[in-house]
Amino acid sequence: MTGLCLEKILKSIGIFLSAVSSNRYLIEFLEVGGVLTLLEILGLEKIKEEDKKESIKLLQLIANCGRKYKELICESYGVRSIAEFLAKSKSEETQEEVQVLLDSLVHGNPKYQNQVYKGLIALLPSASPKAQQLSLQTLRTAQSIVEDTHPSIVACVLNVLRTMHLEVQYEAIELIKDLVNYDVCTALLKGLVALLIPPVKETSKLQPKILNDSTVLQLTAHLPVFLQQAAAAKAIGILARSNNRLAGEMLHLRVVHSLMAAMGNTDHSNSQRQASLTLEYFVQMFPVVEEHVRKSMGEELYKLFLSNPEDLYMKIDSIQADILAANEVNITRALNLGGLSNSNMGFYLGPGDQDQQAYATHFQEDVKGKE
């Protein structure tokens, strides 16, 4: 049944299931296939969005009745149906109701919490920005419950950074801040640094269209790979400022070289701006970075950089941009050649930071072990 009739039926069922003594009604509803019917409604194209929203609310009521009811929903292929509906829904209000349901299913449901967790990861490539935003929010909760990370989460989260929607980017960076506390930390940092220098094949995809169409002013401003580059630079800055150990690890991943290369990307001003702001922090925190950046930039460009990193992209000329893009700064080599001994740690990392020194000492031991 569809239309007004279905809406009245679903709301009537909701009244019974939300009553104080609803257990008997709930059992009767489930015995006649209530869960399967509600899930089927979500996948029918001819059903109105408002009716599907009522189905989600009924599923919320059922899930809130306890663990065995959450398991029943999951056993009925509910996670897949609910996740697909979240991705396809055109109503943000309905999508928020779906988020409440998924959050309920991941709590107090040890048997199927991994299924919900994987379903949330599968939603990250969704074409719906709202679905991406809500999935990222719920993933932060799910990750803390599941604890073990899924191998695909790093690539999926990094791909989300291509978004043009700042609210989605914000949630992605918040999740990244959580994920660095898990076993995917190194892979995540390597991925972020790699995004600062996009592959040539990615950056040249729109070039023929731009050259052939004089009406296109700056399509490259919206090229996803450049949006991703800017977001990566921003995320690296946030991580470095929050944790000296992460900043130290990224130094060994040649983050300074990559940040300077991003600063030379004249096709995307926000990449230049975010990279410049992040590089400023590394220069201020690590004397060895300051030394190498000054030498690579030259005195004139370096002074321009220090005077106002945020606006540097508006002041540099094409030659200076090329100097940044083609830089060969290698902080890793300097740190390794220096031996990273405790006696010279003050020179490389700056005085008064025991955490940084402890991290670098640990890294040195790892390097010797591999040799």
Side-chain angles (χ1 to χ4, degrees):
M1 283 182 279
T2 59
L4 186 60
C5 184
L6 177 60
E7 182 179 358
K8 287 182 177 180
I9 290 173
L10 293 174
K11 287 186 176 181
S12 299
I13 294 172
I15 293 172
F16 281 96
L17 296 186
S18 59
V20 177
S21 55
S22 62
N23 191 55
R24 179 167 62 90
Y25 303 119
L26 175 60
I27 293 173
E28 289 180 5
F29 182 66
L30 298 180
E31 285 178 347
V32 296
V35 168
L36 288 172
T37 302
L38 294 175
L39 293 173
E40 187 178 358
I41 287 173
L42 300 179
L44 295 175
E45 295 183 3
K46 294 183 179 180
I47 302 294
K48 293 189 301 182
E49 185 87 7
E50 192 62 32
D51 295 339
K52 294 181 179 182
K53 179 181 170 184
E54 289 300 322
S55 292
I56 290 293
K57 287 184 176 181
L58 290 178
L59 288 168
Q60 288 175 8
L61 287 172
I62 295 170
N64 290 338
C65 288
R67 174 177 169 176
K68 66 178 182 180
Y69 300 104
K70 294 177 183 180
E71 291 179 353
L72 176 60
I73 293 173
C74 295
E75 288 167 358
S76 304
Y77 302 98
V79 174
R80 179 176 179 177
S81 299
I82 294 164
E84 288 179 352
F85 175 58
L86 174 58
K88 295 177 181 178
S89 176
K90 304 300 181 183
S91 166
E92 292 192 359
E93 187 178 342
T94 302
Q95 287 176 309
E96 288 170 359
E97 292 291 347
V98 177
Q99 181 196 27
V100 172
L101 175 57
L102 288 171
D103 185 73
S104 175
L105 291 176
V106 84
H107 282 89
N109 189 12
K111 187 176 180 179
Y112 291 103
Q113 62 189 19
N114 268 292
Q115 189 181 100
V116 180
Y117 172 63
K118 291 175 184 177
L120 290 166
I121 295 175
L123 277 167
L124 295 184
S126 170
S128 166
K130 188 65 176 180
Q132 288 181 310
Q133 180 188 12
L134 297 175
S135 300
L136 288 163
Q137 288 175 352
T138 314
L139 259 175
R140 295 183 64 195
T141 302
Q143 187 63 72
S144 64
I145 294 172
V146 174
E147 294 185 355
D148 294 333
T149 55
H150 191 274
S152 67
I153 194 169
V154 172
C156 289
V157 173
L158 293 180
N159 281 333
V160 173
L161 295 179
R162 292 180 171 223
T163 181
M164 294 177 62
H165 301 270
L166 292 179
E167 69 277 10
V168 178
Q169 182 192 107
Y170 170 82
E171 296 298 343
I173 293 177
E174 287 299 301
L175 179 57
I176 287 171
K177 286 163 62 178
D178 290 348
L179 289 175
V180 294
N181 298 312
Y182 294 87
D183 59 347
V184 295
C185 177
T186 300
L188 196 55
L189 296 181
K190 286 181 179 179
L192 284 170
V193 174
L195 293 179
L196 295 175
I197 305 180
V200 175
K201 62 180 181 179
E202 290 283 348
T203 57
S204 60
K205 279 180 180 178
L206 291 184
Q207 188 173 0
K209 295 180 182 179
I210 295 171
L211 293 177
N212 296 334
D213 187 353
S214 59
T215 63
V216 178
L217 296 178
Q218 197 173 351
L219 280 182
T220 51
H222 302 298
L223 189 62
V225 72
F226 289 158
L227 297 171
Q228 191 179 31
Q229 180 189 48
K234 181 179 179 180
I236 288 169
I238 291 171
L239 293 177
R241 290 180 178 88
S242 67
N243 191 317
N244 288 327
R245 290 178 179 272
L246 296 177
E249 186 167 343
M250 286 188 282
L251 281 184
H252 291 282
L253 297 174
R254 296 197 67 190
V255 69
V256 175
H257 161 73
S258 299
L259 285 169
M260 291 179 67
M263 289 167 63
N265 179 13
T266 54
D267 287 325
H268 194 59
S269 60
N270 196 39
S271 289
Q272 294 178 289
R273 176 175 168 271
Q274 295 293 347
S276 186
L277 289 171
T278 298
L279 182 64
E280 179 192 26
Y281 175 77
F282 280 96
V283 167
Q284 292 173 344
M285 283 298 296
F286 304 103
V288 66
V289 174
E290 179 186 15
E291 176 191 353
H292 282 73
V293 170
R294 182 194 295 269
K295 184 178 178 180
S296 178
M297 285 186 177
E299 286 299 324
E300 182 182 348
L301 179 55
Y302 184 71
K303 287 179 181 178
L304 200 62
F305 164 67
L306 287 184
S307 65
N308 193 343
E310 187 170 7
D311 295 335
L312 179 67
Y313 70 93
M314 295 189 291
K315 300 176 181 177
I316 59 175
D317 55 34
S318 59
I319 296 175
Q320 291 170 323
D322 288 342
I323 290 173
L324 291 169
N327 84 89
E328 297 182 357
V329 171
N330 193 340
I331 303 297
T332 305
R333 184 185 304 161
L335 294 175
N336 290 339
L337 289 174
L340 292 178
S341 64
N342 288 330
S343 60
N344 62 20
M345 193 61 62
F347 169 74
Y348 286 112
L349 301 179
D353 198 322
Q354 297 299 320
D355 287 340
Q356 290 179 23
Q357 294 191 21
Y359 169 78
T361 303
H362 171 71
F363 182 87
Q364 180 190 15
E365 292 171 353
D366 285 348
V367 171
K368 287 182 177 178
K370 292 176 182 177
E371 293 175 347

